[in-house]
């Protein structure tokens, strides 16, 4: 059974940084589309960044370009999201997701086989 476990969330001041981790277990395939989403209560979940583990191709939503970086360690099966230059608007629950099936691997993709439970990121002064 595939499990995704996020960690690394917390509270930071504007301009601060965090690194989120998504540890995967039970994966049977070699390549996946891995993604980070975020959601604020009362709002729709938003795709933030994706990475295709087969070739390392990454994609970001415009609001985080230049501030967030997604990466993946194949050996450890961990997907990271480095958050720099955090703004209050980045406050949300952050979820990771993964899917071995084909199709678009971009933040606009909403259907994923596997989801984590989320880690909270709060940005405030």
């Amino acid at each position: 059974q595939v499990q995704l476990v996020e960690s690394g969330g917390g509270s930071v001041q504007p301009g601060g940084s965090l690194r989120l981790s998504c540890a995967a277990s039970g994966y049977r395939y070699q390549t996946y589309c891995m993604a980070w989403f975020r959601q604020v209560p009362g709002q729709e979940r938003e795709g933030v960044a994706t990475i295709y583990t087969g070739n390392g191709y990454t994609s970001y939503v415009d609001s985080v370009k230049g501030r967030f970086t997604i990466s993946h360690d194949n050996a450890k099966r961990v997907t990271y999201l480095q958050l720099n230059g955090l703004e209050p608007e980045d406050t949300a629950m952050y979820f990771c997701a993964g899917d071995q099936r084909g199709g678009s691997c971009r933040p606009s993709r909403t259907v994923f086989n596997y989801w984590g439970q989320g880690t909270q990121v709060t940005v405030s002064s």
Side-chain angles (χ1 to χ4, degrees):
Q1 183 175 354
V2 175
Q3 285 190 321
L4 302 178
V5 179
E6 303 96 332
S7 62
S11 296
V12 297
Q13 293 185 339
S17 297
L18 286 172
R19 188 175 80 156
L20 308 183
S21 299
C22 172
S25 61
Y27 269 178
R28 297 187 298 157
Y29 301 92
Q30 293 299 314
T31 57
Y32 292 80
C33 176
M34 298 299 300
W36 284 96
F37 287 77
R38 64 186 179 186
Q39 189 169 24
V40 176
Q43 298 184 16
E44 290 189 1
R45 188 166 50 197
E46 175 190 35
V48 174
T50 54
I51 184 167
Y52 182 64
T53 65
N55 59 14
Y57 177 82
T58 60
S59 185
Y60 300 89
V61 68
D62 285 346
S63 61
V64 307
K65 284 181 180 177
R67 299 189 299 124
F68 293 5
T69 303
I70 188 171
S71 60
H72 181 79
D73 186 323
N74 275 321
K76 295 181 180 179
R77 294 195 171 182
V78 178
T79 304
Y80 302 98
L81 186 67
Q82 178 69 40
L83 290 69
N84 295 330
L86 282 162
E87 303 167 351
E89 293 75 21
D90 297 315
T91 296
M93 183 73 78
Y94 283 71
F95 300 87
C96 74
D99 200 319
Q100 79 282 1
R101 298 171 297 180
S104 173
C105 188
R106 292 183 179 274
S108 56
R109 177 172 178 165
T110 58
V111 178
F112 284 83
N113 265 348
Y114 311 109
W115 291 87
Q117 294 300 307
T119 185
Q120 178 68 36
V121 171
T122 302
V123 185
S124 68
S125 54

